[in-house]
């Protein structure tokens, strides 16, 4: 059987509910997938295989070892390469008719509207709360549907936001969660997940994209679907569209959409992995990781789980040099900066970018 | 009245269970319910950012809990 | 970050509910995935990435163009290669610690018990009803859990069958569907599907495997989960374990577990694609395909949808040569054999293996 | 009484709808219900192989349909 579009999609076009008409709608669609990790992997792959015409992939990050357990389209040989490019490469090999454009970049308030305005539909596969609000608000300002997905451990959420309906635009993220939480729960220590819920949520997003574009079935409109993979409990929470475009315009002006946890860190208070390896043994190392079973790649002198960390109760020895460490270098920096208030002249450092990048 | 309450995401971590039967007086609003959870579980420090659903519908904080309601406690989630 | 098992699984082992103990259980598990198509693709990939220790992959088939829209781990360059081997190759590239053994073979009543007896758990990713009953009955005779998945168009079913519980073995396929349907609904013309439901059901199967092996959460025990992807409706049908091992033993003796539709076809009544191409124009070609919009790769003289086909009402011209065609060569063979009763001496042929292999 | 009936798989194709409200007399068993569907939709020729669930529980053919029951018609499926 020849490799052509007709043969490639025959198991879809043969469906009377979908047919050649549905296939044509997919082929004419131009969508953007923001985030090429656990959600972006299956969303992009299944949508590419289904015959979406044009797909842009956006991710600022590179493939890491610890991604592979849930980002199953990445191979060990891809470690260190930009996620968007690696994913695009796979998509080209499964569907040569796809027009795919990978972009290694971070979406910000400054570039979001310009970047997103050319698409019919936006898929949120990011793993950052401020970016999720940035995408939500940008989608509303641009009058575009947003296919939302997110998860925590064993639970996932999915919805089709801001779809134009006869009754106006449908609900958006702020109808369920009005404000960007200031303190993310939980913060630094990424809690992890088992991979099936990541795939389930991603596939449900792909399903929404196909439903919306081919005008088939009932998309998750004015609904937030909640799935618990531990007991297969599903809720579909009905919402009311209240937060409208005018409100979002005001919020857009007020918000920076930056991750409060990723504030600029002072270089003087940081130590690189390189430097720490070179000067091994010269530091008193304190871990502020919560998980007592987390195995560190080096010996530490002390462990103070960050929740119990209180600079008032800590006495440091002025003749020693201290290094605080955690997984991502965020809580360790917070500990360092608190102690710098108490001991401004002491040698106290935070391991830059954390143990994950050691 | 005993109100069946489901906990998702980090709310399940805090409570340690998928669901609880919580004894509630008449005229209890979601706002009261939220305060009570925070009081009982101080780790719910971000609960003001959570969504509450009753019988699979999103409700405002002034909703008054009725007999046989099924409450879902839904924190914002950010994984991807 | 170094590529080792600790780093690969850190986002799972960091979960207090799962931890190193859960990871160890996965690594010690030995499972078999029967069927490497739409379900087998994601099931094998996600389970390999999660750190299952030993995995056997069984499929008798090769990659075809029309598979690629839903079997998204296969690339165009894999067309014509054995599915089990291609899939195993991908798994090795995403997890070098996996022990994977691909087998290109068909499971039959004769080899099933011997083939399946060495595993802790069986995953049914097949697309044949008789094979699903074969796997179900074999799993019961071998006292092994079976992770069942199947689908039709936009709907999928998932369950964990025959799990040993304190109350005995849980329900199996025959508690919901006691007998192997004699006439498959619908038969020849594979109706097709959109790819997200295939992925959703596959991921739910992977989720069951992880739950069962790591003893986490509540597997779908004494339940048949039904998912409608068009409106995201989910039902969890409670069942009672009634059909026990003794009954299955009797059924095992009675059943052949062969697909009634795939009975041996007489060579004399068949014409190959090759021959039909060579003798183009010499035949009166009749299509028995149901779908009026199905596009054929050649001209046909007549179309009689198989449901309306009735040999009594058909008059053939003894001076002509006839070829019946359909998608897979099953209904066209049925038409041919009925007409051969009426016209034993006429030249009537069925296109062997159908248009899909033309 | 009007009985909400959900159709899955090929049953949906035959009926042409996700769900129907079907008017049912008292003392109607699932077996009667099955016969009635077959009578109304002759394409249900394989219906004896289908599973029936009431209120998310599998039921035998002798189950007697009650007011407010939710029936699901579940054909065997074989895709993979």
């Amino acid at each position: 059987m020849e490799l052509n579009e007709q043969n490639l999609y025959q198991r879809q076009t043969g469906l009377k509910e979908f047919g050649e008409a549905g296939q044509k709608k997919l082929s004419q669609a131009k969508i953007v997938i923001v985030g090429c990790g656990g959600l972006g992997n299956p969303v992009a792959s299944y949508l590419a295989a289904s015959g979406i015409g044009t797909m842009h992939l956006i991710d600022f990050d590179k493939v890491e070892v610890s991604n592979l357990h849930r980002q199953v389209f990445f191979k060990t040989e891809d470690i260190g390469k930009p996620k968007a490019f690696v994913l695009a490469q796979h998509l080209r090999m499964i569907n040569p008719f796809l027009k795919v454009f990978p972009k290694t970049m971070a979406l910000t308030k400054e570039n979001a509207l310009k970047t997103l305005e050319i698409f019919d539909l936006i898929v949120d596969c990011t793993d950052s709360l401020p970016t999720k609000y940035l995408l939500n608000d940008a989608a509303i300002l641009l009058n575009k549907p947003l296919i939302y997905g997110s998860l925590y451990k064993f639970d996932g959420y999915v919805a089709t936001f801001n779809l134009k309906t006869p009754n106006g635009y449908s609900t958006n993220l702020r109808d369920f969660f009005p404000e960007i939480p200031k303190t993310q729960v939980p913060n630094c220590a990424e809690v992890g997940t088992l991979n099936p819920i990541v795939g389930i949520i991603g596939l449900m997003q792909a399903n929404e994209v196909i439903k919306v574009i081919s005008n088939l079935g009932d998309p998750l409109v004015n609904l937030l679907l909640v799935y618990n993979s531990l007991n297969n409990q599903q809720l579909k929470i009905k919402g009311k569209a209240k937060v409208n475009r005018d409100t979002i315009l005001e919020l857009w002006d007020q918000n920076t959409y930056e991750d409060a946890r990723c504030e600029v860190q002072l270089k003087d208070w940081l130590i690189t992995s390189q430097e720490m390896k070179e000067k091994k043994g010269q530091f008193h190392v304190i871990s502020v990781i919560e998980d007592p079973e987390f195995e560190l790649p080096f010996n530490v002198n002390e462990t103070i789980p960050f929740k119990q960390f209180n600079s008032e109760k800590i006495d440091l020895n002025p003749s020693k040099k201290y290094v605080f460490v955690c997984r991502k270098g965020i809580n360790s920096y917070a500990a360092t900066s608190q102690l710098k208030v108490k001991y401004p002249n002491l040698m106290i450092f935070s391991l830059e970018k954390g143990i994950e990048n050691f | 009245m005993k109100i069946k309450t489901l906990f998702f995401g980090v709310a399940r971590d805090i409570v340690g269970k998928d669901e609880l039967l919580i004894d509630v007086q008449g005229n209890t609003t979601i706002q009261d319910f939220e305060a009570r959870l925070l009081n009982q579980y101080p780790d719910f420090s971000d609960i003001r950012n959570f969504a509450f659903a009753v019988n699979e519908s999103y409700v405002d904080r002034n909703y008054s809990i009725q007999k046989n309601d099924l409450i879902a406690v839904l924190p914002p989630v950010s994984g991807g």
Side-chain angles (χ1 to χ4, degrees), chain A, chain B:
Chain A
M1 194 190 289
E2 207 188 322
L3 174 60
N4 57 38
E5 290 188 84
Q6 194 190 319
N7 289 336
L8 198 53
Y9 309 129
Q10 64 168 251
R11 287 291 195 279
Q12 290 174 183
T13 52
L15 288 166
K16 68 175 193 303
E17 298 87 342
F18 187 76
E20 297 287 352
Q23 197 64 51
K24 192 172 174 192
K25 285 178 191 157
L26 291 192
S27 75
Q28 290 173 342
K30 186 169 182 173
I31 73 167
V32 60
I33 296 171
V34 186
C36 296
L39 295 174
N41 260 248
V43 170
S45 300
Y46 278 82
L47 289 178
S50 77
I52 287 282
T54 306
M55 194 185 289
H56 287 227
L57 303 174
I58 296 180
D59 201 304
F60 66 90
D61 217 354
K62 291 174 179 162
V63 179
E64 288 176 32
V65 175
S66 63
N67 298 153
L68 298 182
H69 94 97
R70 68 194 182 285
Q71 302 178 17
V72 302
F73 293 86
F74 296 151
K75 307 182 188 102
T76 55
E77 68 185 35
D78 299 324
I79 292 167
K81 296 181 192 165
K83 289 186 180 184
F85 278 84
V86 175
L87 192 54
Q89 210 165 11
H90 178 73
L91 303 189
R92 290 189 190 107
M93 298 183 87
I94 65 176
N95 190 341
F97 307 105
L98 170 74
K99 292 188 271 302
V100 58
F101 301 91
K103 300 234 159 75
T104 298
M105 63 177 280
L107 270 199
T108 64
K109 185 179 171 182
E110 286 63 43
N111 65 23
L113 296 177
K114 189 82 189 148
T115 305
L116 302 174
E117 68 181 359
I118 59 170
F119 301 102
D120 303 321
L121 177 149
I122 302 162
V123 193
D124 173 8
C125 296
T126 67
D127 62 355
S128 140
L129 214 40
T131 310
K132 288 185 178 297
Y133 281 85
L134 174 66
L135 284 175
N136 182 74
D137 294 356
I140 290 160
L141 295 183
L142 295 167
N143 299 315
K144 292 182 192 300
L146 172 71
I147 312 299
Y148 163 85
S150 195
L151 55 115
Y152 176 86
K153 278 190 176 180
F154 314 109
D155 295 335
Y157 298 173
V158 194
T160 287
F161 287 145
N162 200 47
L163 190 70
K164 198 171 184 176
T165 75
N167 306 315
Y169 285 93
S170 68
T171 50
N172 66 70
L173 182 58
R174 290 188 186 269
D175 288 311
F176 294 96
F177 301 101
E179 288 176 36
I180 309 181
K182 293 230 169 45
T183 51
Q184 199 171 332
V185 187
N187 59 10
C188 163
E190 276 196 31
V191 282
T193 183
L194 297 183
N195 67 24
I197 185 65
V198 188
I200 290 169
I201 297 301
L203 265 309
M204 286 188 178
Q205 288 184 285
N207 191 41
E208 288 303 297
V209 173
I210 292 177
K211 284 195 279 183
V212 167
I213 292 177
S214 67
N215 196 22
L216 186 71
D218 306 308
L220 294 165
V221 157
N222 297 322
L223 291 170
L224 177 73
L225 184 149
V226 177
Y227 206 90
N228 171 354
S229 64
L230 285 185
N231 61 7
N232 292 84
Q233 183 172 43
Q234 173 178 283
L235 299 181
K236 283 154 59 182
I237 310 294
K238 289 184 204 71
K240 285 201 182 115
K242 285 185 175 171
V243 182
N244 63 20
R245 197 169 179 280
D246 292 342
T247 309
I248 299 288
L249 254 175
E250 283 174 39
L251 289 167
W252 185 265
D253 287 337
Q254 292 160 23
N255 278 301
T256 63
Y257 301 97
E258 278 169 17
D259 197 328
R261 301 172 304 144
C262 293
E263 61 195 16
V264 178
Q265 298 188 342
L266 291 175
K267 277 281 170 203
D268 289 357
W269 296 357
L270 297 173
I271 184 167
T272 63
S273 302
Q274 184 63 23
E275 204 177 338
M276 205 175 148
K277 282 169 188 163
E278 284 167 11
K279 300 185 180 168
K280 201 180 159 186
Q282 298 182 23
F283 301 104
H284 183 90
V285 181
I286 302 175
S287 162
V288 292
I289 291 173
E290 308 279 357
D291 177 5
E293 289 177 14
F294 184 82
E295 287 188 33
L296 289 122
F298 42 68
N299 290 327
V300 300
N301 304 80
E302 224 176 311
T303 297
I304 308 170
F306 189 66
K307 271 195 187 154
Q308 287 150 43
F309 179 86
N310 181 344
S311 61
E312 295 306 311
K313 293 185 183 164
I314 291 174
D315 287 317
L316 298 185
N317 179 343
S319 67
K320 285 187 179 172
K321 294 177 186 174
Y322 292 87
V323 173
F324 283 85
V325 302
C326 71
R327 295 190 189 201
K328 289 194 163 269
I330 294 166
N331 283 346
S332 62
Y333 185 82
T336 301
S337 60
Q338 286 174 42
L339 282 169
K340 274 284 182 181
V341 177
K342 192 173 169 189
Y343 299 103
N345 298 317
L346 231 64
M347 301 287 267
I348 314 171
F349 304 99
S350 169
L351 174 61
E352 190 174 7
K353 293 180 187 161
I355 289 159
E356 285 184 7
N357 294 288
F358 189 76
Chain B
M1 53 201 177
K2 299 269 187 191
I3 298 296
K4 187 168 164 181
T5 309
L6 307 176
F7 297 92
F8 290 89
V10 74
R12 187 191 303 131
D13 290 349
I14 292 169
V15 169
K17 296 211 164 124
D18 274 329
E19 58 179 81
L20 287 177
L21 274 180
I22 298 182
D23 208 354
V24 164
Q25 307 280 322
N27 286 323
T28 298
T29 64
I30 290 292
Q31 183 151 25
D32 302 334
F33 190 76
E34 174 190 338
R36 185 171 149 183
L37 283 176
L38 178 58
N39 185 48
Q40 196 170 348
Y41 304 96
D43 281 345
F44 271 130
S45 51
D46 289 323
I47 199 166
R48 68 175 207 88
N49 292 316
F50 289 18
F52 286 81
V54 174
N55 307 327
E56 293 195 64
S57 286
Y58 177 87
V59 292
D60 290 328
R61 293 307 202 252
N62 56 17
Y63 173 86
S64 185
I65 298 170
Q66 308 294 313
K67 205 179 158 187
N68 295 323
D69 274 354
L70 171 73
I71 298 183
V73 180
L74 302 162
V77 296
S78 68

